[in-house]
């Protein structure tokens, strides 16, 4: 019932927006209904047909009825008591001015106010939902990490036959245990050696396991491009991943990218650029201090500084 729960929480989260939307719509309807009622009662010709005059006066006889009529004109249909279109009766007596005013007001309410209310409601509900999911990820971080450690240990046991492809670290066999009860397994997971390495072949085999895919979904990690997941986690491009790198990398991939991730990347790039500029200045100074020999070296290799 996660979908139903999300919808119910969204409704409760957007109640304040709905209340203010109702206040806005009722305020606009009240002003428009009061203005329309005043115009109809004051300007409607005395020689108006009795049936048409009765219909208009009944629809706009009081403020409440006038507001209800205006609300029906915006939502259900602008009809009189006998089912005939009310705007046609009013157009017959007020002319083209009423037609233009009716079209403009109708478009302003339906296209403007209604869409504005819906956009504001959706934006607020989505923002609250993102904050709620972020808070849930923060609360469930320890549990998700424990489940990930346990699953990694079980996959190591299942694929123990691939230990020759795991790399130079032969301690991978230490994670190949037999099932000795849930409590004992949790204790062994806590002792999992984080320095053990896993090759790309074994890691891609893990990604074909349904339990791993389910855990990635629970951790809110996109698994559409799971073949590239190993390359993302392999930051040093060594072709092998330590268990510690797998766990920490997958924990950092939980959820969508946040603002702090973008800012951290920007600051890291700025730091790298400053380091590169310092290195360039140092190398340029060393080459300049080398004298004619350095000049000859630069002349012989003019492309050397292009990469500094």
């Amino acid at each position: 019932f996660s979908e139903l729960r999300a919808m119910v929480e969204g409704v409760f989260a957007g109640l304040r927006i709905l209340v203010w939307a109702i206040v806005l719509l009722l305020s606009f309807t009240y002003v428009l209904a009061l203005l329309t009622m005043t115009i109809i009662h004051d300007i409607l010709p005395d020689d108006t047909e009795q049936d048409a005059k009765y219909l208009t006066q009944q629809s706009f006889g009081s403020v409440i009825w006038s507001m209800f009529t205006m609300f029906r004109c915006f939502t259900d249909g602008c009809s009189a008591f006998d089912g005939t279109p009310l705007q046609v009766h009013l157009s017959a007596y007020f002319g083209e001015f009423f037609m233009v005013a009716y079209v403009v007001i109708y478009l302003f309410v339906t296209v403007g106010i209604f869409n504005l209310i819906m956009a504001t409601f959706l934006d607020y509900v989505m923002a609250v939902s993102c904050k709620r999911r972020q808070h849930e990820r923060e609360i469930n971080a320890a549990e998700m990490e424990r489940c990930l450690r346990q699953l990694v240990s079980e996959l190591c046991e299942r694929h123990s036959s691939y230990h020759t492809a795991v790399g130079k670290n032969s301690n991978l066999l230490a994670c190949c245990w037999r099932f000795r009860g849930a409590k004992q397994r949790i204790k062994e997971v806590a002792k999992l050696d984080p320095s053990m390495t896993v090759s790309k072949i074994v890691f891609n085999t893990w990604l074909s396991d349904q339990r791993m895919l389910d855990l990635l979904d629970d951790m809110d990690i996109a698994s559409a491009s799971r073949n590239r997941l190993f390359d993302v986690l392999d930051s040093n491009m060594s072709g092998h991943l330590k268990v510690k790198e797998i766990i920490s990398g997958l924990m950092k991939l939980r959820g969508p990218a946040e603002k702090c991730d973008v800012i951290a990347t920007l600051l890291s790039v700025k730091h790298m650029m400053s380091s590169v500029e310092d290195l360039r200045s140092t190398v340029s100074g060393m080459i300049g201090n080398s004298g004619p020999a350095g000049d000859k070296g630069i002349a012989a290799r003019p492309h050397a500084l292009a990469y500094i």
Side-chain angles (χ1 to χ4, degrees), residues 88-102:
V88 175
H89 294 291
L90 296 176
S91 300
Y93 299 105
F94 293 98
E96 297 178 355
F97 176 77
F98 174 81
M99 297 181 184
V100 175
Y102 174 77

Side-chain angles (χ1 to χ4, degrees), residues 94-111:
F94 293 98
E96 297 178 355
F97 176 77
F98 174 81
M99 297 181 184
V100 175
Y102 174 77
V103 172
V104 171
I105 294 175
Y106 182 82
L107 292 177
F108 176 77
V109 173
T110 56
V111 179

